[in-house]
Amino acid sequence: MNSANSARLDALAGSMTRSMRGAAMTFSRIVAERVGMSVSHVALADRSALMRSLCALDEYSGGRLCVIAQRMTTPGGGHAEALLALPEEGALLIVRRMLALPDVADELSELEQDALAEAGSIVIDACSGGLAGAFGWQVEAAQPRVALVSGDIDYGLDEALHSALVTHLQIHLNGLRVEGRVVLEMFADSVLPAALEQRLTA
């Protein structure tokens, strides 16, 4: 990647960071404690690089990732798929902090899945908001979907997915730090590739 594109991705990471501050404030109100969210960097990744990035998250979990996925559409009919991937253990810790539940069960209850959907939507909306500001989009998001996925099935990624915009995220709560990825899937007919190409070549 040339230096100009790298600088533009750095600027996009800055936009994402600003958007995440609002998400962190929302989380803080939910869990009644200080929450921080930071973006270390944003990267364009092909499928193999994305898989390596998700596998790196998997090192912190028990073989599965918790994925909250959401479909976004623009008024012109363009679309993009977005997902928040967290280590399963980290997702459990976050949601139980949200719901003030003891850390006892190993599986997500229906209530916890609903809470994770809400949490994921907050983070994805923050990321899509950062992109909307950068690209001049207006986006609407569908209801989030929650799943536990493993590397055995390519973490549930669509077979047609060959590239993505990946935001490297850290969520900080008192005594807890969880690393995550916000992945915007880039399909040939989605709104994101053209917008990114325009952004990176401007």
Side-chain angles (χ1 to χ4, degrees):
M1 180 179 295
N2 62 42
S3 59
N5 281 359
S6 179
R8 291 185 176 100
L9 284 173
D10 287 345
L12 190 56
S15 177
M16 295 288 200
T17 296
R18 290 188 291 274
S19 295
M20 285 299 171
R21 290 174 186 155
M25 291 177 63
T26 300
F27 263 103
S28 295
R29 289 193 292 270
I30 292 172
V31 301
E33 63 180 84
R34 184 178 178 84
V35 176
M37 292 188 191
S38 59
V39 173
S40 61
H41 64 285
V42 174
L44 291 171
D46 60 18
R47 189 181 184 91
S48 61
L50 176 57
M51 286 295 295
R52 289 194 300 272
S53 183
L54 294 177
C55 283
L57 273 187
D58 204 2
E59 293 176 4
Y60 299 96
S61 197
R64 293 190 298 185
L65 298 180
C66 180
V67 169
I68 303 98
Q70 209 164 15
R71 183 179 177 89
M72 299 181 298
T73 58
T74 67
H79 73 276
E81 294 288 333
L83 61 89
L84 169 64
L86 299 167
E88 181 182 8
E89 182 180 354
L92 284 168
L93 291 172
I94 288 174
V95 74
R96 285 167 187 167
R97 189 74 65 89
M98 289 175 64
L99 298 171
L101 295 174
D103 184 18
V104 287
D106 293 329
E107 295 291 334
L108 286 168
S109 67
E110 185 174 345
L111 175 62
E112 289 168 335
Q113 290 187 46
D114 289 343
L116 269 177
E118 178 185 359
S121 183
I122 291 169
V123 174
I124 291 171
D125 285 352
C127 267
S128 62
L131 286 174
F135 298 146
W137 288 350
Q138 289 182 317
V139 295
E140 294 184 2
Q143 286 293 108
R145 311 177 304 276
V146 178
L148 292 173
V149 296
S150 69
D152 294 340
I153 56 168
D154 285 355
Y155 298 109
L157 298 176
D158 193 299
E159 292 182 359
L161 174 65
H162 297 293
S163 60
L165 182 71
V166 184
T167 298
H168 292 244
L169 172 70
Q170 288 186 347
I171 302 173
H172 308 266
L173 290 84
N174 184 28
L176 175 64
R177 181 176 71 87
V178 177
E179 186 176 355
R181 304 282 188 270
V182 180
V183 179
L184 291 164
E185 302 178 339
M186 293 169 60
F187 298 99
D189 61 344
S190 74
V191 69
L192 190 55
L196 271 177
E197 181 178 359
Q198 182 179 16
R199 173 82 173 183
L200 295 177
T201 58

